[in-house]
Amino acid sequence: MAVRAARGAEDGEGPDGIRTFPFPVDLSVLGVGMQVGPMGPGRTWHTEAPLDRVHRIDFHVVMLFTEGPVRHMIDFAEYEAGAGDLLWIRPGQIHRFSATSEYRGTVLTMQPGFLPRATVEATGLYRYDLPPLLHPDAPQLTGLQTALDQLRREYEDTTTLPLSLHTAVLRHSLSAFLLRLAHLAASSQEASRRDAGTTFTLFRDAVERGFATNHSVSAYADQLGYSRRTLVRAVRAATGETPKGFIDKRVILEAKRLLAHTDLPIGRVGAAVGFPDAANFSKFFQQHTELTPAAFRAELR
């Protein structure tokens, strides 16, 4: 299946300058409102939109990977998927393929309006709060893969049924797959919130104890026994920022306190928050506040 959007006047550009590409109905078998087929090299949504260019789509995309890792940006967050993982991109979301990743597996695309309203609501098609990256366990993956394989067989079978029945069967098969997917997404969100709460609390406490000497995300991950990816997910879920951003904010806060409430020389302030070199501290502080440490202190006195 060619995973690319049709060219034409329908292609639009938003006020942010990001192109939006429509669902390519003319590339679907029999013109139905969905496509399902293999991912592979050279696939693109549009001849004018290279894989590594940021763009927007007005349809649903679900990618089930058989190989990994694959890095993919969705709404400015980077996700890393492995074999057996799924990515669910919803209409209007900004995304970008990775030029360095090989996309292998099955991709499903679906035009808004292809399914009836009751099914749309039951499957949470527009639950933008749900996580786009999903990690099914073995039984869940088996169920999803079986449902997707059945959907693909029905999609490619254009001879045994008239178009109206063929479309009806596709809708039922697609609904079965999406109901499984929606259950996985909702349960993953709940589990993520529980895990993220605990993980973030441990990370926050570790940063509070160690920010004056440790600015390394990897070091905190190793100390807590988590992967870097798990830590990124937990901190982002709790704060909306990266672990590195959280650490840097704590370092800056302490530096501001010392600059405002003590007479320590700038170099001593830097050393107190983990910068033995005064020039490096000044550069770091200015990057985060747009003021030098001396200028910040002068503004308060």
Side-chain angles (χ1 to χ4, degrees), residues 178-212:
L178 289 176
L179 285 167
R180 287 183 178 275
L181 188 66
H183 173 70
L184 172 62
S187 59
S188 295
Q189 182 192 50
E190 185 175 346
S192 294
R193 284 176 174 170
R194 290 196 304 267
D195 294 344
T198 301
T199 303
F200 171 70
T201 299
L202 293 173
F203 172 71
R204 181 195 62 198
D205 293 346
V207 170
E208 190 61 32
R209 294 190 301 269
F211 71 87

Side-chain angles (χ1 to χ4, degrees), residues 202-254:
L202 293 173
F203 172 71
R204 181 195 62 198
D205 293 346
V207 170
E208 190 61 32
R209 294 190 301 269
F211 71 87
T213 56
N214 181 10
H215 303 165
S216 167
V217 176
S218 295
Y220 283 110
D222 291 343
Q223 174 186 332
L224 297 172
Y226 295 116
S227 69
R228 185 184 178 96
R229 185 171 69 173
T230 296
L231 205 57
V232 169
R233 287 201 304 265
V235 177
R236 192 182 296 279
T239 68
E241 60 189 357
T242 64
K244 181 58 176 170
F246 183 87
I247 296 167
D248 288 350
K249 283 180 67 173
R250 183 63 185 90
V251 172
I252 289 294
L253 174 60
E254 191 67 17

Side-chain angles (χ1 to χ4, degrees), residues 134-162:
L134 303 172
H135 308 282
D137 59 25
Q140 290 170 328
L141 180 59
T142 298
L144 286 163
Q145 186 67 70
T146 300
L148 191 58
D149 289 344
Q150 176 62 29
L151 175 60
R152 183 175 173 182
R153 285 193 294 271
E154 296 292 352
Y155 176 73
E156 294 172 349
D157 178 8
T158 61
T159 61
T160 59
L161 292 172

Side-chain angles (χ1 to χ4, degrees), residues 30 32-34 36 108 110 114-116 119 147-178:
L30 299 180
V32 296
M34 60 157 286
V36 59
L108 164 70
M110 187 194 70
F114 183 65
L115 292 176
T119 305
L148 191 58
D149 289 344
Q150 176 62 29
L151 175 60
R152 183 175 173 182
R153 285 193 294 271
E154 296 292 352
Y155 176 73
E156 294 172 349
D157 178 8
T158 61
T159 61
T160 59
L161 292 172
L163 179 58
S164 59
L165 290 180
H166 174 68
T167 303
V169 169
L170 284 179
R171 288 192 173 112
H172 283 290
S173 298
L174 178 59
S175 297
F177 172 75
L178 289 176

